Amino acid sequence: DTEVTQTPKHLVMGMTNKKSLKCEQHMGHRAMYWYKQKAKKPPELMFVYSYEKLSINESVPSRFSPECPNSSLLNLHLHALQPEDSALYLCASSQDRLGDTQYFGPGTRLTVL
Amino acid sequence: ELKVEQNPLFLSMQEGKNYTIYCNYSTTSDRLYWYRQDPGKSLESLFVLLSNGAVKQEGRLMASLDTKARLSTLHITAAVHDLSATYFCAGINAGGTSYGKLTFGQGTILTVHP
């Protein structure tokens, strides 16, 4: 089973709202990732968690706040977003950071009004 | 910092024809990945190439890796409409603070028409 699940599938929020994206995997993977993808562009890495610790933060604005409550779950908390943050947010996981294949979830399509 | 470039960025193919997508990368990458993305969907892993000379095939797609030339290719044989998608190659940063970070190419939008 190589499934990564994400909820919600779609999210519309105002600039003053607080919302969270959720990602879950049950493959025993110890590395989890958040990516942002704009239309017709490649995914851009936002955060990497390795063994539940934040390993990489790609200089993401503080209005995005990641959280890894346990090895199977990854959240992305959103607050005071801007319209330009509208994008597809993809979660991925891999066995660890050492170059194993990353498996992607279906994504959350976020629209910020 | 690893940079990955694909070409062509747009590829319109006739069914039954062959073509190759090229992926060049700038510095050492431990591995090279190919992903497929259908419109509005997530990324599907196609191949991971681990070493120089590696060749992998799945159906009408064949990927290869030349680490000396820092080049990977994705060859499409006898294209069919179902192959229409965006194809990304990605390298992985081998060290430093970005260890394990995937860097994607721009993507190749492939359209197969009758």
Side-chain angles (χ1 to χ4, degrees), chain B residues 58-91:
Chain B
E58 180 75 32
R60 300 174 188 275
L61 301 177
M62 183 173 72
S64 66
L65 179 62
D66 181 344
T67 57
K68 293 178 183 172
R70 295 183 183 157
L71 171 68
S72 180
T73 60
L74 181 66
H75 186 72
I76 302 153
T77 301
V80 292
H81 179 70
D82 284 353
L83 291 178
S84 297
T86 299
Y87 292 85
F88 292 100
C89 64

Side-chain angles (χ1 to χ4, degrees), chain A:
Chain A
D1 181 13
T2 56
E3 189 178 27
V4 177
T5 59
Q6 288 186 245
T7 55
K9 285 188 169 49
H10 301 275
L11 179 61
V12 179
M13 60 186 290
M15 289 190 284
T16 59
N17 292 157
K18 286 185 182 182
K19 296 285 184 184
S20 297
L21 309 184
K22 181 179 171 182
C23 172
E24 195 164 1
Q25 58 87 13
H26 295 287
M27 296 178 277
H29 289 175
R30 303 313 300 266
M32 296 185 76
Y33 311 78
W34 281 115
Y35 289 86
K36 173 183 177 179
Q37 187 179 26
K38 302 283 266 185
K40 300 190 188 302
K41 297 288 187 184
E44 295 177 2
L45 182 67
M46 300 174 72
F47 302 103
V48 180
Y49 273 83
S50 179
Y51 290 84
E52 299 159 49
K53 290 188 181 351
L54 184 63
S55 300
I56 297 177
N57 176 343
E58 288 286 289
S59 303
V60 178
S62 60
R63 57 186 184 267
F64 295 91
S65 175
E67 179 197 18
C68 188
N70 60 56
S71 59
S72 301
L73 279 175
L74 186 66
N75 298 321
L76 186 63
H77 302 298
L78 315 172
H79 174 53
L81 294 193
Q82 304 296 310
E84 59 265 29
D85 296 322
S86 299
L88 180 67
Y89 287 83
L90 293 163
C91 174
S93 72
S94 64
Q95 191 67 37
D96 57 31
R97 279 177 66 190
L98 299 177
D100 289 316
T101 299
Q102 292 182 23
Y103 295 95
F104 285 80
T108 293
R109 177 74 60 188
L110 174 66
T111 303
V112 182
L113 301 176

Side-chain angles (χ1 to χ4, degrees), chain B:
Chain B
E1 184 183 335
L2 177 64
K3 292 192 187 326
V4 180
E5 289 193 359
Q6 288 179 237
N7 72 83
L9 301 184
F10 299 92
L11 180 53
S12 181
M13 293 180 67
Q14 205 167 13
E15 278 187 333
K17 299 291 189 184
N18 305 332
Y19 211 84
T20 300
I21 300 171
Y22 297 89
C23 175
N24 290 92
Y25 54 98
S26 60
T27 63
T28 301
S29 177
D30 277 353
R31 302 172 184 207
L32 199 292
Y33 301 85
W34 285 95
Y35 285 89
R36 168 184 171 144
Q37 187 174 36
D38 291 300
K41 303 288 186 183
S42 188
L43 278 77
E44 174 191 357
S45 174
L46 294 175
F47 302 109
V48 53
L49 302 166
L50 301 177
S51 59
N52 188 42
V55 176
K56 289 200 173 177
Q57 182 162 7
E58 180 75 32
R60 300 174 188 275
L61 301 177
M62 183 173 72
S64 66
L65 179 62
D66 181 344
T67 57
K68 293 178 183 172
R70 295 183 183 157
L71 171 68
S72 180
T73 60
L74 181 66
H75 186 72
I76 302 153
T77 301
V80 292
H81 179 70
D82 284 353
L83 291 178
S84 297
T86 299
Y87 292 85
F88 292 100
C89 64
I92 193 154
N93 286 266
T97 55
S98 293
Y99 182 48
K101 172 186 172 183
L102 271 187
T103 297
F104 286 87
Q106 309 97 309
T108 297
I109 299 175
L110 171 65
T111 305
V112 180
H113 54 88

